[in-house]
Amino acid sequence: MDDIRTNLERVRERIARAAERAGSRAEDVLLVGVSKTVDVERIRRAVAAGLPALGENRVQEAREKIAVLARPVPWHLVGHLQTNKVRDALELFDLIHSLDRLDLARECDRRARTRGRPVEALVQVNVAGEASKGGFDPDAVGEALEASAALEYVRVRGLMTIPPAVERAEQARPWFRALAQLGKRHGLAELSMGMSADFEVAIEEGATMVRVGTAIFGPRPAPQARQSP
Ligand SMILES: *Cc1c(COP(=O)(O)O)cnc(C)c1O
């Protein structure tokens, strides 16, 4: 039995039902399969089974996988991006979900200008103002968008958030709703929110992209078991 194919089918069904509850269409929600720590063979199977986009959170790990798999589907960067890795990131990724500070936006602009191709990005919002997380405070999003709009080679398509850890998915709803309200206020089309534990609630609140790892690929090794970059 192909566990990945089965997992993917289940996730797709759950997306469809959540979209229906939200009065939207499953086709309007992009499923980004977060493949960090997952080996290329399993990723290949997920793509063969119809996964439409891949997400990675480390530039180097993505580089190695893309060298093997190429680009059967778009690759998205969902993790923190260091300024000194922007050049590589622009080469590898079709969308950056984690524009979380202005100096990063400026470096993206500079590097994208050199390449002659604008970068597509989402502005990351720290919805609960957690000290441990990156992203703009909700109050600072307007200013961040204004500053980004002035950058010719940065195209902000929407907002992304990783809400505080909660015990039940339902508890994340207010954070998703807050992001959706911000997106609406600023006329942004895309909302990247929701992971394995809570993507249905995120879709009910208007997510247009969900970032799902475990529910597709199975559990990841504990962080301390990971190889260093
Ligand atoms: C790992 C990761 C995900 C996927 O998490 P799961 O709980 O495995 O679905 C989504 N978004 C980001 C930013 C991640 O780092």
Side-chain angles (χ1 to χ4, degrees):
M1 189 194 77
D2 188 339
D3 59 323
I4 288 182
R5 187 172 288 271
T6 309
N7 290 350
L8 193 57
E9 269 167 27
R10 291 209 179 111
V11 168
R12 281 195 177 290
E13 279 164 20
R14 289 167 61 190
I15 289 174
R17 282 199 297 270
E20 202 177 298
R21 288 194 294 277
S24 55
R25 299 177 314 161
E27 306 89 83
D28 298 334
V29 181
L30 178 67
L31 174 58
V32 180
V34 178
S35 52
K36 62 192 183 200
T37 78
V38 178
D39 64 73
V40 291
E41 199 37 53
R42 288 173 70 74
I43 298 173
R44 208 193 300 275
R45 275 159 52 201
V47 172
L51 184 65
L54 290 161
E56 286 283 338
N57 66 345
R58 291 171 174 221
V59 172
Q60 184 54 34
E61 188 175 335
R63 173 184 290 296
E64 288 161 18
K65 289 172 179 173
I66 293 170
V68 178
L69 292 166
R71 305 170 176 284
V73 296
W75 290 84
H76 292 188
L77 180 67
V78 300
H80 177 75
L81 177 56
Q82 287 170 256
T83 311
N84 64 4
K85 299 214 171 120
V86 167
R87 190 173 64 156
D88 291 349
L90 297 196
E91 223 176 87
L92 297 167
F93 297 105
D94 300 281
L95 180 70
I96 293 174
H97 287 232
S98 46
L99 208 60
D100 59 2
R101 54 198 198 281
L102 284 179
D103 72 331
L104 177 63
R106 284 190 280 266
E107 180 64 6
C108 283
D109 181 62
R110 195 169 78 80
R111 293 291 185 181
R113 184 182 304 272
T114 308
R115 302 184 77 218
R117 209 171 91 203
V119 52
E120 310 263 328
L122 307 177
V123 163
Q124 184 172 347
V125 183
N126 188 351
V127 274
E130 292 171 281
S132 62
K133 280 197 184 129
F136 292 93
D137 283 341
D139 288 350
V141 167
E143 232 172 276
L145 291 171
E146 242 172 69
S148 305
L151 301 170
E152 198 185 343
Y153 279 80
V154 174
R155 305 272 157 85
V156 173
R157 299 303 186 201
L159 304 175
M160 176 272 221
T161 198
I162 306 169
V166 290
E167 274 174 21
R168 289 173 298 110
E170 193 55 37
Q171 295 169 306
R173 188 181 296 278
W175 304 119
F176 295 143
R177 188 165 293 176
L179 193 76
Q181 276 165 358
L182 269 177
K184 195 168 178 192
R185 181 179 319 155
H186 296 289
L188 293 164
E190 304 291 347
L191 293 174
S192 166
M193 55 188 197
M195 314 199 284
S196 291
D198 54 17
F199 66 85
E200 288 150 302
V201 176
I203 291 168
E204 288 168 12
E205 295 301 326
T208 63
M209 298 181 190
V210 289
R211 310 178 307 268
V212 178
T214 319
I216 297 171
F217 294 109
R220 288 182 292 273
Q224 61 269 27
R226 305 252 321 259
Q227 297 171 329
S228 51

